Each structure stands twice: as C-alpha cells, then as structure tokens.
Amino acid sequence: MPRSAASHLSHISDASLPPSQEHSAELSNVRKALARMPTDQAEILHLVGVLGFTYSEAAELLGIPAGTVMSRLSRARTALKQNMESNGADAVGHLKVVGGRDAVR
C-alpha cells in the first residue's frame, strides 16, 4: 500500500476513536457558547461553518441577501469568541470558525 494511502487510512481510523476528555470538554464549551447566541447567528455558523454551505447557498436557503449572510457570520464569529471567553474556555486562542466561501461558477 502506498505511503499516502496508509497515512490516509490511519487518519480515518483516528477519526473513529472517541474524543479525548479535553476535546469533549472543549466541544461542550462550544455548545454552551452557541446556545447563548441569537438564533440567526447560530444558524449561520451552523450552515456555513459546520455544514459547509457557501454564502450564496445559505442566502438562498434562508431567503436573505448574501451580504446579510456575511454580516451575520461576522457577528456570529465575534459573539462565539466572546461567549467562549466569558465561559473561561482555555481553547479560545486556537478556536477558528472556518467556512464562508462562495461558489465559483
């Protein structure tokens, strides 16, 4: 088996392991921070950051302009970081909400 395929398979098997206690605690802190956010901001973070929707896809799904998606996402990222900090989460420094691309057609 080529080295790249083997390393890919080891990554897959690592993903099937249960999360460490530290990782579980970090996820719990993120869930709590999301629960304290306005619904529209949490919704945008979920669609774009978790599910990988583009701005255009999220805008169409929600029936709002793409610019509104970008504004809400910016406010949501800021709110999530502030909520994590106020919760005393140690992981805030390396928390990065990714996503937010638009489809190239």
Side-chain angles (χ1 to χ4, degrees):
M1 178 177 304
R3 183 179 180 102
S4 62
S7 64
H8 177 70
L9 290 176
S10 69
H11 174 69
I12 291 172
S13 64
D14 288 346
S16 66
L17 296 174
S20 68
Q21 186 174 1
E22 179 181 320
H23 186 71
S24 293
E26 184 178 344
L27 287 174
S28 177
N29 288 336
V30 170
R31 274 190 224 106
K32 290 175 188 173
L34 283 169
R36 290 191 302 268
M37 295 175 63
T39 303
D40 62 335
Q41 291 178 9
E43 182 177 55
I44 287 293
L45 274 177
H46 185 75
L47 289 173
V48 176
V50 176
L51 298 178
F53 280 67
T54 65
Y55 296 149
S56 298
E57 291 167 339
E60 185 177 334
L61 180 71
L62 298 172
I64 59 176
T68 302
V69 168
M70 291 184 275
S71 297
R72 286 184 188 174
L73 187 59
S74 177
R75 287 192 303 273
R77 287 176 172 144
T78 300
L80 180 62
K81 183 177 179 183
Q82 289 172 346
N83 285 341
M84 293 289 293
E85 288 170 348
S86 71
N87 196 33
D90 295 332
V92 175
H94 73 271
L95 177 67
K96 183 174 182 178
V97 179
V98 296
R101 59 183 168 58
D102 214 342
V104 178
R105 290 192 161 85

